[in-house]
Amino acid sequence: MKRTHKCNQINSSLIGQEIAVAGWIHRRRDHGGVIFFDIRDEGGLVQVVYNPDLEDTFSIAESCRNEYVVFSAGIVRERPEGTVNDNLSSGEVEIVASDLEILNHSKPLPFQLDEYTSAGEETRLKYRFLDLRRSEMQQNLRLRSNASTYLRDYLNNKEFIEIETPLLTKATPEGARDYLVPSRTFPGSFFALPQSPQLFKQTLMASGFEKYYQFAKCFRDEDLRADRQPEFTQLDIELSFTDADEIMNLITEMIRDVFKKTLDIDLDKFPKITYREAIEKYGIDKPDLRNPLELLEVKSLFKNCDFKVFNDPANDEDSRIAAIRVPNGKSLTRKQIDDYTAFVGNYGAKGLAYIRVEDPSKGKEGLQSPIIKFIEDEIIESLMKNLDAKEGDIIFFGAGKRNIVNDSLAALRDLVAKDLDLLTCEWAPCWVIDFPMFEKNNSGNLTPLHHPFTAPKCSVEDLKIDPLGALTDAYDVVLNGTELGGGSVRIHDQEMQRTVLNLLSIDDDEAEEKFGFLISALQHGCPPHAGLAIGFDRMIMLMTDSDSIRDVIAFPKTQTASCLLTDAPGQAAQDQLDELHIRFHGLEKEE
RNA sequence: GGACCGGUAGUUCAGUUCUGGUUAGAACGCCGCCCUGUCACGGCGGAGGUCGCGGGUUCGAGUCCCGUCCGGUCCGCCA
């Protein structure tokens, strides 16, 4: 006999029928004279009752343990008065068993799967196959599957086609460290796993596929974070004959569609913020717009101030002085402020100045702060006026090098909002646009903010004259302070491409060697094109309200990029290494 | 490369600093017995420990010191 129903299909409409279920023993309750099983399958739970009058079946039930895999048949019956379980969808009924078969035994589990206990992540990852039985993980991966289905539907309906690109490929200049795969047939040569399919998708545009997408596995050998894995999935999209606005409209609609269909959430408008404005107001290019706090520029007020901590940055071009006014921040304790000071220290800030506003009508007397005694009365007065300080406010200041002030206050803004529960809504998407083309890295060289195939908004000539001033048609989509994805209008003109590469100190020979195929494609009738990629794992992480990207990936890696389930990476056999002509330097050979 | 948090029973944790000291505890799980309406069933009893690993200080170390490994959060890195 086979199973006739999934557990979530069982309800009072089946009363009187003989049915059969199969699944795991989620819990057993042995009363000596009667035994209850909650049998779990991927749909849900159902209670099965074993009575002692069926001796054989009852004795099998007595021998069963949690997580045994069983088959059981019986009659669906209304539960006796007063024993209905409202927590189960099948809770009005139960199965009175006539048959029970053990399909597989189970050793006692290393950790419990119920929702009342929690296992550490190390244990969960080691026994990932058990962890994935838990309903939270089941729901996360099901939502992930649903979301990818809706996204595919959306794009397919708009006449996109999905094309796969190779995993064994060549290093592309995305800036991250590559994962390398040695070639057997070309001793000493390596494939690189793609950091993204960027060059392939542009090549596909040259091939005349005008609307492309792909759920693409990407690999980056960099240090991990809660939202970063060495291999991850991008929804990669590229279109010909389009522009930035069309892409942003398409993606806005797509994201709203998937949120609606998956979670029944109506996302609000996606406001557009320029990069410059984002840095100015939030200190970061992926602002959490649920957070009402903003950075206020107060640099000009301190130009003639005697207080060195403020005066120096006020007169330095690369510095910034910004304030965050926290309404009702007076509830913050001295200890919290000390913690904040240590916190901004992580970002290189040397301290955290603050002013408590006790009574703004009393001028300086109504303020409490370790720094005001160093600052002239008139400056304080105009500062309070500029910031529109109100009773109960606390004002934090960041003063120093521009990037340190931005980084530390951006992080502080998030932390304070979290501690004081200031978020104004659940979902706040936005687009960040008008990114600069280049920035200077630590060694003073130009590096692309996005990547070197992003089209500047200016001409070749203007780009050469003022590369740091050039803006691009790049756009990032940001949700709740997380960068969901980004893209740009691409360069389709070989002259512009050469100029950009030359500005990055990549000469024609090197360009030819590294991505000659793209240059060649640009030379043979490549249409104007643009696209973007969505960080699919991150999107699912937000949709499931998970703290970590690992909770939406079936088999993730640890922070040191190992897999606790498979014990990967592992050693290679000597004959494999010999075939690849690989020998180790400076490594103690194990054993 | 750096900062911080954690590692004690199968699991989740307490005990660890200020203050080292007899036999390292709890809960859940597990095992046994009892229990005919429970649903995180209940009752009684029991087993279960290389206190991550190595070294040091000490009469004595889970506890103090040094090193190291593993897991996590973050900075750097990464778009």
Side-chain angles (χ1 to χ4, degrees):
Chain A
M1 203 175 160
K2 285 183 77 170
R3 91 166 143 182
T4 59
H5 290 79
K6 294 262 203 93
C7 294
N8 60 346
Q9 297 170 321
I10 297 167
N11 54 45
S12 48
S13 71
L14 298 176
I15 287 171
Q17 289 188 37
E18 171 151 28
I19 67 164
V21 296
W24 289 261
I25 299 175
H26 189 63
R27 248 189 285 275
R28 48 189 286 280
R29 292 176 291 280
D30 183 346
H31 288 243
V34 61
I35 298 172
F36 301 97
F37 285 177
D38 289 341
I39 291 184
R40 180 190 77 236
D41 62 19
E42 69 170 11
L45 292 174
V46 69
Q47 171 165 287
V48 186
V49 190
Y50 299 90
N51 287 310
D53 43 323
L54 279 175
E55 270 179 45
D56 291 351
T57 304
F58 190 77
S59 91
I60 295 171
E62 278 183 311
S63 75
C64 284
R65 292 295 178 265
N66 283 340
E67 297 300 311
Y68 276 27
V69 185
V70 295
F71 167 88
S72 201
I75 307 282
V76 178
R77 162 176 92 179
E78 189 171 11
R79 289 199 186 191
E81 179 117 25
T83 64
V84 167
N85 185 344
D86 293 330
N87 297 323
L88 294 185
S89 74
S90 63
E92 287 183 9
V93 298
E94 62 192 10
I95 300 173
V96 186
S98 54
D99 189 23
L100 172 63
E101 209 179 302
I102 296 175
L103 302 179
N104 208 348
H105 296 73
S106 172
K107 286 163 58 170
L109 264 36
F111 59 96
Q112 287 155 260
L113 304 184
D114 61 65
E115 58 271 42
Y116 306 99
T117 48
S118 61
E121 189 159 10
E122 204 169 345
T123 312
R124 289 174 52 205
L125 290 178
K126 181 170 176 193
Y127 297 97
R128 189 60 156 178
F129 52 91
L130 297 178
D131 187 40
L132 294 179
R133 280 186 201 166
R134 294 166 48 240
S135 74
E136 181 195 345
M137 294 304 294
Q138 290 265 324
Q139 282 167 25
N140 286 356
L141 293 183
R142 283 167 202 288
L143 186 140
R144 183 180 171 122
S145 170
N146 288 340
S148 70
T149 301
Y150 295 134
L151 291 166
R152 280 197 167 91
D153 286 349
Y154 177 88
L155 292 167
N156 290 340
N157 286 334
K158 301 228 181 263
E159 295 170 331
F160 281 76
I161 70 164
E162 180 163 21
I163 302 177
E164 291 165 275
T165 54
L167 293 186
L168 292 174
T169 180
K170 212 172 165 182
T172 57
E174 248 102 2
R177 196 178 292 113
D178 285 312
Y179 274 98
L180 295 178
V181 179
S183 162
R184 176 182 56 83
T185 49
F186 293 91
S189 289
F190 294 83
F191 295 101
L193 302 180
Q195 296 178 28
S196 82
Q198 182 62 33
L199 298 188
F200 283 110
K201 70 173 171 178
Q202 290 192 240
T203 305
L204 286 168
M205 294 300 106
S207 305
F209 297 102
E210 296 183 17
K211 292 179 168 185
Y212 144 94
Y213 78 95
Q214 177 186 194
F215 279 85
K217 267 288 177 99
C218 304
F219 304 85
R220 290 174 193 169
D221 188 6
E222 294 293 345
D223 288 342
L224 308 185
R225 292 285 188 278
D227 64 351
R228 269 161 39 184
Q229 280 278 299
E231 58 177 305
F232 59 98
T233 303
Q234 282 188 345
L235 173 51
D236 196 43
I237 295 173
E238 196 80 6
L239 294 79
S240 297
F241 308 112
T242 185
D243 58 32
D245 281 334
E246 190 179 322
I247 301 235
M248 285 189 272
N249 288 339
L250 175 86
I251 300 304
T252 299
E253 195 193 323
M254 182 182 83
I255 291 174
R256 295 179 70 159
D257 185 70
V258 72
F259 268 76
K260 180 68 183 172
K261 287 186 170 142
T262 317
L263 298 172
D264 196 26
I265 284 169
D266 291 296
L267 289 183
D268 214 333
K269 290 211 165 57
F270 286 44
K272 286 178 189 161
I273 302 168
T274 65
Y275 174 85
R276 193 195 165 100
E277 186 186 357
I279 299 292
E280 183 82 15
K281 283 169 78 171
Y282 311 108
I284 197 167
D285 61 359
K286 44 177 183 175
D288 187 346
L289 297 186
R290 296 172 302 171
N291 182 342
L293 302 177
E294 289 185 6
L295 275 57
L296 298 153
E297 186 60 62
V298 292
K299 183 175 177 180
S300 60
L301 298 177
F302 295 97
K303 279 229 176 335
N304 299 307
C305 170
D306 283 342
F307 187 36
K308 200 170 151 42
V309 172
F310 282 5
N311 185 50
D312 284 356
N315 293 291
D316 173 38
E317 200 167 313
D318 282 337
S319 291
R320 161 166 210 197
I321 306 175
I324 299 179
R325 184 175 70 85
V326 184
N328 295 313
K330 66 179 173 196
S331 64
L332 292 168
T333 62
R334 182 59 203 265
K335 178 171 186 324
Q336 271 174 302
I337 294 172
D338 287 347
D339 288 348
Y340 290 161
T341 306
F343 176 76
V344 296
N346 290 337
Y347 299 86
K350 295 206 183 72
L352 181 63
Y354 65 90
I355 298 177
R356 287 174 188 274
V357 183
E358 276 160 6
D359 185 350
S361 66
K362 286 190 189 159
K364 206 166 177 174
E365 302 305 305
L367 304 176
Q368 191 237 311
S369 163
I371 59 162
I372 43 173
K373 59 174 176 277
F374 303 114
I375 301 173
E376 294 77 352
D377 289 4
E378 317 83 69
I379 296 182
I380 295 280
E381 199 180 312
S382 55
L383 181 66
M384 291 300 112
K385 210 166 143 195
N386 265 275
L387 296 174
D388 193 21
K390 301 218 165 49
E391 185 191 337
D393 290 351
I394 189 164
I395 299 159
F396 291 108
F397 294 89
K401 289 295 170 195
R402 194 169 288 279
N403 57 344
I404 291 179
V405 171
N406 286 336
D407 291 351
S408 55
L409 290 189
L412 182 68
R413 173 177 171 267
D414 282 342
L415 185 61
V416 169
K418 189 175 146 233
D419 288 348
L420 296 179
D421 203 16
L422 298 178
L423 300 188
T424 56
C425 60
E426 240 183 303
W427 300 100
C430 67
W431 286 99
V432 179
I433 59 172
D434 287 351
F435 284 80
M437 181 74 193
F438 300 109
E439 61 185 348
K440 269 199 176 151
N441 68 8
N442 294 334
S443 12
N445 298 321
L446 292 181
T447 56
L449 222 68
H450 200 63
H451 55 56
F453 312 107
T454 302
K457 281 181 158 178
C458 60
S459 66
V460 169
E461 289 70 35
D462 290 344
L463 185 66
K464 283 178 178 163
I465 293 164
D466 181 19
L468 279 170
L471 295 181
T472 59
D473 255 328
Y475 30 81
D476 278 1
V477 59
V478 174
L479 181 59
N480 295 358
T482 295
E483 182 195 328
L484 265 193
S488 60
V489 175
R490 322 297 185 188
I491 298 169
H492 67 282
D493 171 74
Q494 56 159 323
E495 191 50 41
M496 177 61 90
Q497 188 64 72
R498 174 173 296 135
T499 305
V500 169
L501 292 171
N502 290 348
L503 284 166
L504 296 170
S505 311
I506 299 175
D507 64 29
D508 293 356
D509 287 347
E510 190 183 354
E512 182 59 34
E513 194 255 319
K514 284 191 167 150
F515 29 85
F517 66 100
L518 179 73
I519 310 284
S520 179
L522 296 184
Q523 290 167 346
H524 293 88
C526 183
H529 58 284
L532 103 172
I534 300 284
F536 184 60
D537 315 270
R538 278 187 193 169
M539 187 173 93
I540 303 302
M541 175 178 153
L542 287 175
M543 293 175 92
T544 55
D545 196 26
S546 300
D547 291 328
S548 155
I549 198 175
R550 296 183 297 277
D551 284 342
V552 299
I553 293 173
F555 302 106
K557 306 279 189 291
T558 66
Q559 193 160 53
T560 51
S562 73
C563 173
L564 297 181
L565 178 72
T566 62
D567 239 358
Q571 312 235 321
Q574 191 57 51
D575 55 344
Q576 291 178 303
L577 295 173
D578 290 344
E579 264 185 330
L580 297 168
H581 306 279
I582 289 176
R583 220 178 305 147
F584 296 116
H585 274 295
L587 256 190
E588 295 274 327
K589 186 103 174 70
E590 300 223 351
E591 281 159 89

